[in-house]
Amino acid sequence: MHNIVMSRSVLRSAKTVFIAFLLATTAFVSAQTTSTRPVCTSLSAQKIGINKIKLTWKIPDSFKAASVAVFRSNEPITLKSTISAERPVAEVPAKLTTYTDTLKKFGEYYYAVIARDKDGNLFNMLFPTVNATAKAVVLEPPNGFYDIESTPEEQYVPGFLRELPLPYLDLISDLDIPPTQMSAKATNSGYELAGEYAVKKLKPLPPYVFEDDFVCATGGDDFYLFESLKNYFIKKDYKGSVTDLRKLLSVKRSPEVTTRAVFYLAESQYYCKNYRHALELFLFLEDDVPELAKKWIDSTLDFYQIPTN
């Protein structure tokens, strides 16, 4: 008799779980087939750098939303109340199906992507592994690195130096290592493989300057970058530019200024014919300025070939 009661209890629990699953599945299918209630699907989160996580998702054909809100948490996002209480870390156009999140701290991160209608309302239905990640993406500090947050801008006046500049994490540590010399045998083999392309005449790309640096900034990191460009890069003193830009990057700068400064450093190495160093820097910038970086990577690879003498 006791076993029969236990069996009925187990069956009742299994039935409850099945009904809950069926209701969730029905709600998800309904959300997908009803254009007024859009749901993103196949959400994936992958670590792509020391402090970056790339999100990708899919949208149904009937997807009609004004935008997609991206939410981040240190715990699994499973409750509607979590979405209602938190502000999204980003809001992207409805047709966009990717977002790269840059983090200031190491740790575990979970994400959810929620559609927002033209009236500003969130369709906050959560489906783990569908529009909310069930597994955390873990960011861990490499050996010798420390978890240091950026200094808030309010702590220093634009145009003046910080009291104590923060250290810059040099992710490209081998720029001073001279390139390895190729043996005569390897050089000759390269000529044979290259054939007619080994003597192709190439034209270098013209210098590129970001629009943000056309006008002198009033202060802050933008001002110091503008001064460096004016004194060296614009005058085509590329060796001086390499030295000065590396000095500028030796302290923590804003992400935007860091991206532009590293790009100018890559250009300067390119014009100094240090193609290996230039290539490493352009590759480092692929996520930040993909189209521009690809153009310069292609040109650098054209020049980065076997020497003609």
Side-chain angles (χ1 to χ4, degrees):
M1 184 66 179
H2 178 71
N3 291 335
I4 294 174
V5 173
M6 287 293 293
S7 298
R8 289 178 178 176
S9 177
V10 171
L11 287 172
R12 190 179 298 110
S13 298
K15 183 178 180 181
T16 302
V17 172
F18 176 75
I19 292 174
F21 171 78
L22 186 61
L23 289 173
T25 305
T26 303
F28 172 67
V29 173
S30 175
Q32 288 298 89
T33 56
T34 306
S35 62
T36 57
R37 303 196 305 172
V39 174
C40 302
T41 63
S42 304
L43 175 60
S44 171
Q46 292 185 333
K47 175 183 174 182
I48 60 172
I50 291 178
N51 66 331
K52 291 184 178 182
I53 297 175
K54 184 175 183 179
L55 306 179
T56 58
W57 59 89
K58 295 180 180 178
I59 56 176
D61 295 336
S62 59
F63 195 75
K64 293 182 180 179
S67 62
V68 173
V70 180
F71 291 87
R72 180 212 310 141
S73 177
N74 297 116
E75 298 178 354
I77 304 174
T78 56
L79 299 174
K80 295 181 182 180
S81 57
T82 304
I83 298 297
S84 302
E86 296 290 335
R87 294 180 59 186
V89 295
E91 194 108 5
V92 300
K95 293 183 179 180
L96 200 63
T97 57
T98 183
Y99 171 73
T100 299
D101 192 16
T102 301
L103 289 309
K104 294 181 180 179
K105 286 186 175 182
F106 299 112
E108 296 184 353
Y109 294 96
Y110 297 84
Y111 292 88
V113 286
I114 306 296
R116 189 190 297 275
D117 63 24
K118 62 181 180 180
D119 297 322
N121 301 313
L122 286 173
F123 178 52
N124 56 350
M125 289 193 70
L126 292 168
F127 303 97
T129 72
V130 178
N131 66 342
T133 56
K135 184 179 179 181
V137 179
V138 181
L139 297 184
E140 296 178 333
N143 295 333
F145 282 64
Y146 297 90
D147 189 6
I148 304 176
E149 289 193 71
S150 301
T151 302
E153 295 184 0
E154 293 78 7
Q155 293 188 10
Y156 66 96
V157 180
F160 294 84
L161 286 172
R162 302 173 177 85
E163 292 183 8
L164 181 62
L166 295 174
Y168 173 67
L169 304 181
D170 189 0
L171 303 180
I172 307 173
S173 57
D174 66 341
L175 289 179
D176 293 324
I177 301 175
T180 303
Q181 296 296 321
M182 297 179 64
S183 66
K185 182 178 180 181
T187 301
N188 292 331
S189 298
Y191 280 130
E192 293 177 5
L193 290 172
E196 60 178 323
Y197 297 101
V199 295
K200 182 176 65 174
K201 292 184 178 180
L202 302 170
K203 184 177 180 181
L205 293 174
Y208 179 86
V209 178
F210 291 91
E211 292 184 4
D212 293 337
D213 300 311
F214 284 160
V215 180
C216 180
T218 57
D221 293 339
D222 294 274
F223 172 77
Y224 296 117
L225 178 57
F226 181 87
E227 286 293 298
S228 176
L229 296 176
K230 182 183 70 174
N231 294 329
Y232 298 99
F233 188 82
I234 300 302
K235 295 179 180 179
K236 297 186 178 181
D237 179 3
Y238 297 118
K239 289 186 178 180
S241 180
V242 168
T243 301
D244 199 63
L245 286 169
R246 296 196 68 183
K247 188 184 301 182
L248 183 144
L249 288 166
S250 65
V251 297
K252 186 75 174 181
R253 302 293 180 183
S254 69
E256 295 79 10
V257 168
T258 297
T259 296
R260 303 202 308 271
V262 172
F263 195 90
Y264 294 130
L265 177 57
E267 287 189 83
S268 299
Q269 295 282 20
Y270 172 92
Y271 291 121
C272 288
K273 298 184 179 181
N274 297 327
Y275 298 120
R276 183 176 70 86
H277 297 334
L279 183 61
E280 290 175 344
L281 290 166
F282 286 131
L283 288 170
F284 178 68
L285 294 167
E286 270 193 301
D287 290 335
D288 299 309
V289 284
E291 293 186 8
L292 191 59
K294 182 182 183 303
K295 175 182 177 182
W296 284 82
I297 288 170
D298 290 343
S299 179
T300 304
L301 288 172
D302 286 339
F303 284 99
Y304 190 19
Q305 57 181 311
I306 299 169
T308 55
N309 50 33

